[in-house]
Amino acid sequence: MFLRTVPKIQSKPSLLNLSVEEENLAAIPFAVLERRVGKHIGKIEISGTKAFPDGKELRVTWQVQGNNELGLPTEQDLDIFVALGVLTFRQNFAKTVSFTGREIARILDIGTVHGKFYKRLKMAMDRFIPLRFRAVAENEEQEEVKWCNVFQEASFSLDRTSGRCVGSVTWTDKLIQSMDSGFFRLLDARRYMELDGLTAKHLYRFLTVAFEKSNLVIIDARKLSMEHLGILNPPKYLSRLMQTLEPAFEQLMRIQVLGSYHIVSSENWRIALHRHASYVPERKTLALYNGRDAEASRLICEKLLQDAGFLQRVAAEYCAAATTLRDFYALERAAKLLTALRDEDVLPHVALSVVRNALDAGAATEEGRDLLDWCEIAIEICRQKRRSGQALKNSAGLLIKMIKDPALRSRIVSPEAEKAFRETFRRREQMAERQQDELEEHALILEFEEARERVAESIFNDLADAKKARLRKEKAEQLRQQERFQRLAAAAQHAEIDAAICQDIARSELPPYEKWRLRKQAQQAVLPFVEAESEPQSA
């Protein structure tokens, strides 16, 4: 028996680097070790488990098919897949994820982007597009189990004149709906990219989930290799397998995921993996999230300001000093108002000047906030006038005069209306600041129950009539055993039967509250700007 340890070094996780994958898809090591296999492989089969929404697991054979000519994704392709997961998380689990070559390169920590990188990116897309998988249980006929593609569509183009590379991938409905319901896994892309070799990368993908449940994992080395590391044919001797696994263990210790490892039983091939003392699994990092990640927030705000019209250098300067939730909220609000001013036909340089005045004063200060308030009040007043049928010959001029002329404001906006507007703005700020408050938790639970009931009813309504009739018959037989049910009117009985069926569907098909809330937290981490439910009317 041997033991390896490394010094404890604290590392700070960042939501900016999180990469998201669908739960079952993340369990499949669909990239193979081509260096050892020595040939392109278009199809593999791996024994494993399939997770269901109600928490149950089923032993299955995962079948994965790729491109017959190019084979399955390689180690480098898998890096790009993780980068696409980062962009999916940053874009709030969007079904279609757009990217540029430089965005992918930054996540991969590649400094220079050239033709060789673009060729690598295109080759990865060519392998991902036909990639599909399915899980076949022991009691199922393979011919009856449907295949599921990973991506529904993918595009990639390179303008050699400008050197700009752009592309997009569209997740299949089944995968994006699963992730959007909370069935996803997370890993830290920065840690992942520091690893060298597919064995170490697959091991990290396995441990980031295993260490969520326990800080000590004891497992058969053969099972670990075949089911989780993509080693389809492990060596006959443990000592030979350990020669492959030990370098991966050492790397995982270096990035502070694995604290130590040792052989428990040579005869039974059992090994123990102990979590590093400073490592917090990424899913728990998000679950414990109670504020905004400063690095991620700055990146989001910088992009919003650039999209609104600021130069990259100027946007970065405004975002550099932001540290609190109120600072980030004010920057996002400024970007949104700049876009709204331009939509109201205000000249771009004039709109930019107005918002810059607020940012120069400090968007979160009283002076800066007051200026942003009047920008928003002026926009809403013009929109109200148009909704009431008034003809505005120069709405842009009216907007700017209201923002800059206090005397004109008082003639157009009554004190009562101004107070109502400002109260709405402050409520929005408070809503963004109390996301972990008890009242917010109550609202989340109610929202969860409403969404759960709505989706369960939709699933029930989409069932075939024959299946509906069978379910109603089974549920009616159960409920008729209750004396209370027999006293109900026929219409009430039918309603209760359907409601009970929907509850069963919700329990078996939809995510539990913890998964739903985690998805909600991911959305708040990426898109925390809260819209007002209703705007006040001017007096």
Side-chain angles (χ1 to χ4, degrees), residues 331-344:
L331 288 170
E332 291 178 8
R333 186 187 183 200
K336 180 184 176 184
L337 291 175
L338 176 54
T339 301
L341 287 171
R342 297 177 66 173
D343 290 344
E344 294 293 330

Side-chain angles (χ1 to χ4, degrees), residues 479 482-494 496-497:
L479 294 176
Q482 304 174 14
E483 184 179 349
R484 173 200 61 82
F485 180 78
Q486 296 178 3
R487 293 196 299 266
L488 295 176
Q493 287 183 352
H494 292 317
E496 186 165 335
I497 288 171

Side-chain angles (χ1 to χ4, degrees), residues 292 301 324-334 376 424-430 432-433 528-530:
R292 299 196 61 181
C301 291
T324 66
L325 176 64
R326 184 166 295 184
D327 293 335
F328 295 125
Y329 178 91
L331 288 170
E332 291 178 8
R333 186 187 183 200
E376 193 162 356
T424 297
F425 303 154
R426 301 296 84 80
R427 279 198 302 271
R428 277 203 321 232
E429 293 175 4
Q430 292 168 7
E433 292 176 351
F529 191 85
V530 182

Side-chain angles (χ1 to χ4, degrees), residues 95 148-152 170-177:
K95 186 176 189 294
C148 179
N149 282 73
V150 177
F151 295 119
Q152 180 176 311
T170 300
W171 295 95
T172 53
D173 291 335
K174 188 172 183 179
L175 289 182
I176 197 64
Q177 288 171 3

Side-chain angles (χ1 to χ4, degrees), residues 9-18 188 190-191 194 255-256 278-280 282 285 292-296 298 323:
I9 305 175
Q10 298 296 325
S11 61
K12 184 179 180 181
S14 170
L15 298 180
L16 177 65
N17 303 313
L18 292 185
D188 187 329
R190 180 172 295 175
R191 275 192 173 110
E194 290 180 8
I255 65 170
Q256 302 178 346
S278 66
Y279 174 63
V280 179
E282 287 73 15
T285 298
R292 299 196 61 181
D293 182 80
E295 186 180 1
R298 289 192 187 95
T323 56

Side-chain angles (χ1 to χ4, degrees), residues 278-492:
S278 66
Y279 174 63
V280 179
E282 287 73 15
R283 192 177 183 91
K284 289 189 176 181
T285 298
L286 181 57
L288 296 173
Y289 166 78
N290 60 358
R292 299 196 61 181
D293 182 80
E295 186 180 1
S297 297
R298 289 192 187 95
L299 182 68
I300 293 167
C301 291
E302 185 176 329
K303 187 175 188 307
L304 289 173
L305 290 173
Q306 287 184 64
D307 292 345
F310 281 92
L311 296 175
Q312 189 276 334
R313 174 183 56 80
V314 177
E317 289 176 356
Y318 284 128
C319 296
T323 56
T324 66
L325 176 64
R326 184 166 295 184
D327 293 335
F328 295 125
Y329 178 91
L331 288 170
E332 291 178 8
R333 186 187 183 200
K336 180 184 176 184
L337 291 175
L338 176 54
T339 301
L341 287 171
R342 297 177 66 173
D343 290 344
E344 294 293 330
D345 297 327
V346 176
L347 293 175
H349 70 278
V350 176
L352 195 64
S353 173
V354 170
V355 175
R356 286 199 67 166
N357 289 338
L359 294 179
D360 290 339
T365 64
E366 287 297 325
E367 183 181 353
R369 189 169 65 175
D370 181 72
L371 185 51
L372 292 179
D373 282 353
W374 277 110
C375 288
E376 193 162 356
I377 292 172
I379 291 169
E380 181 57 27
I381 290 297
C382 288
R383 290 174 177 173
Q384 286 180 5
K385 288 182 178 294
R386 274 198 295 271
R387 285 196 295 266
S388 65
Q390 296 186 37
L392 296 178
K393 295 181 179 179
N394 185 11
S395 61
L398 177 62
L399 276 170
I400 297 303
K401 284 185 178 180
M402 288 182 61
I403 293 171
K404 294 185 175 182
D405 187 353
L408 180 65
R409 297 175 190 167
S410 60
R411 294 200 302 269
I412 298 178
V413 184
S414 67
E416 293 79 8
E418 179 185 348
K419 180 181 178 181
F421 275 117
R422 292 188 186 274
E423 287 177 351
T424 297
F425 303 154
R426 301 296 84 80
R427 279 198 302 271
R428 277 203 321 232
E429 293 175 4
Q430 292 168 7
M431 188 182 297
E433 292 176 351
R434 68 164 194 263
Q435 300 220 343
Q436 300 304 314
D437 191 89
E438 183 178 356
L439 293 176
E440 190 70 22
E441 185 71 13
H442 291 173
L444 278 177
I445 293 173
L446 293 176
E447 182 181 348
F448 165 73
E449 291 179 349
E450 290 175 0
R452 187 180 171 92
E453 181 180 350
R454 184 172 60 253
V455 176
E457 289 178 355
S458 176
I459 293 174
F460 177 64
N461 292 332
D462 290 340
L463 293 177
D465 291 341
K467 189 168 185 179
K468 285 183 185 177
R470 179 174 59 80
L471 291 175
R472 282 170 173 153
K473 181 179 179 181
E474 293 174 355
K475 185 59 65 176
E477 291 175 354
Q478 296 176 11
L479 294 176
R480 285 196 183 98
Q481 298 176 11
Q482 304 174 14
E483 184 179 349
R484 173 200 61 82
F485 180 78
Q486 296 178 3
R487 293 196 299 266
L488 295 176

Side-chain angles (χ1 to χ4, degrees), residues 42-72:
K43 179 180 178 180
I44 57 174
E45 291 187 358
I46 304 172
S47 297
T49 58
K50 179 180 179 180
F52 289 90
D54 58 3
K56 296 179 181 178
E57 292 186 347
L58 176 68
R59 292 293 299 177
V60 298
T61 297
W62 288 108
Q63 295 181 338
V64 187
Q65 284 189 354
N67 188 306
N68 291 329
E69 296 181 359
L70 300 176
L72 290 168

Side-chain angles (χ1 to χ4, degrees), residues 49-245:
T49 58
K50 179 180 179 180
F52 289 90
D54 58 3
K56 296 179 181 178
E57 292 186 347
L58 176 68
R59 292 293 299 177
V60 298
T61 297
W62 288 108
Q63 295 181 338
V64 187
Q65 284 189 354
N67 188 306
N68 291 329
E69 296 181 359
L70 300 176
L72 290 168
T74 64
E75 176 185 342
Q76 290 190 337
D77 298 339
L78 197 56
D79 291 350
I80 293 174
F81 185 80
V82 171
L84 292 173
V86 173
L87 296 178
T88 301
F89 182 84
R90 291 181 184 176
Q91 296 179 30
N92 192 27
F93 294 71
K95 186 176 189 294
T96 298
V97 178
S98 302
F99 62 86
T100 65
R102 295 189 182 278
E103 281 182 316
I104 298 292
R106 278 197 295 269
I107 297 172
L108 299 179
D109 198 21
I110 296 176
T112 305
V113 179
H114 45 65
K116 187 176 180 181
F117 171 76
Y118 294 138
K119 184 178 179 180
R120 168 189 171 185
L121 190 57
K122 184 179 186 304
M123 187 70 72
M125 291 299 147
D126 289 341
R127 289 194 179 100
F128 284 141
I129 292 171
L131 187 65
R132 60 179 188 161
F133 67 98
R134 65 179 178 178
V136 182
E138 294 179 356
N139 59 348
E140 289 180 308
E141 295 291 337
Q142 294 193 21
E143 292 75 12
E144 298 178 358
V145 181
K146 294 183 179 180
W147 290 91
C148 179
N149 282 73
V150 177
F151 295 119
Q152 180 176 311
E153 294 179 2
S155 65
F156 177 85
S157 63
L158 171 63
D159 186 340
R160 297 192 177 277
T161 303
S162 63
R164 182 171 175 79
C165 164
V166 295
S168 67
V169 292
T170 300
W171 295 95
T172 53
D173 291 335
K174 188 172 183 179
L175 289 182
I176 197 64
Q177 288 171 3
S178 179
M179 289 192 287
D180 213 29
S181 295
F183 299 109
F184 58 83
R185 294 181 181 180
L186 296 166
L187 58 85
D188 187 329
R190 180 172 295 175
R191 275 192 173 110
Y192 183 89
M193 298 305 170
E194 290 180 8
L195 298 172
D196 181 26
L198 202 49
T199 303
K201 290 177 178 179
H202 278 324
L203 180 61
Y204 172 51
R205 294 161 72 90
F206 166 70
L207 291 179
T208 189
V209 176
F211 282 158
E212 291 176 5
K213 304 172 184 177
S214 173
N215 63 355
L216 182 63
V217 176
I218 302 176
I219 189 171
D220 187 307
R222 291 164 295 194
K223 178 180 178 181
L224 173 67
S225 301
M226 291 187 291
E227 294 189 11
H228 304 290
L229 305 185
I231 302 177
L232 307 182
N233 299 301
K236 295 182 179 180
Y237 301 100
L238 176 61
S239 58
R240 176 64 186 86
L241 179 58
M242 292 303 296
Q243 291 178 16
T244 300
L245 298 182

